[in-house]
Amino acid sequence: QNLSRDEIFQLVPIVCAILCSVFTPLLLLGAGKNCRVVTAENLGRHSYWLTRIVLLRGMALCYLAGFLTAAFQARALFGSLGLQPAAFSARTRPTPAFDLLERYSWGPQITLGDWALELVSWAGVVLSLLQLTNAVTTALLPASLWALYLSLVNLGGW
């Protein structure tokens, strides 16, 4: 049967929640395949690899949930036609991602708007998926996720 667009939009959060609840344990359990086997010789050494992996992947899962929520709801909440439109020019709190987009804009005719909300939200989804799958292991990834989410939270007043 064919689903309408509204029915599909209602199913997306349910499908995402099911996928996250199924794949999160698998990702967390698959984290140890690249790590050393714990033996009696190296048991005495201080190693925090499992704690680090669980912490970073759990943080990535929280960011993924936040950015997916923002990707689907940001325009409706504080987009140009949203319930409480955000004024990009009258910001009082720090929004690093939007400041960067404003500084390197592509001309005076292009202003920050709904496209910037979408760009920041979907960039956060992609970066959190990279961290969740452990595809990129650098300290810049959690810092960039924090800056993107800080921008969304301070812009929308969440």
Side-chain angles (χ1 to χ4, degrees), residues 33-102:
K33 67 181 177 185
N34 298 341
C35 301
R36 297 183 310 250
V37 176
V38 177
T39 60
E41 296 90 35
N42 61 9
L43 189 59
R45 297 181 188 162
H46 295 290
S47 176
Y48 300 106
W49 60 268
L50 183 61
T51 306
R52 178 184 176 273
I53 289 171
V54 169
L55 179 68
L56 286 175
R57 288 189 180 186
M59 185 174 63
L61 184 65
C62 291
Y63 275 125
L64 180 65
F67 282 120
L68 277 174
T69 301
F72 288 113
Q73 295 180 357
R75 283 180 51 191
L77 291 175
F78 50 90
S80 61
L81 299 174
L83 295 173
Q84 186 179 8
F88 284 99
S89 59
R91 293 188 303 266
T92 58
R93 293 187 270 176
T95 55
F98 296 115
D99 292 341
L100 185 70
L101 287 173
E102 196 172 54

Side-chain angles (χ1 to χ4, degrees), residues 100-112 115 119:
L100 185 70
L101 287 173
E102 196 172 54
R103 186 177 307 132
Y104 296 110
S105 64
W106 295 278
Q109 70 276 11
I110 298 177
T111 59
L112 293 179
W115 69 271
L119 179 70

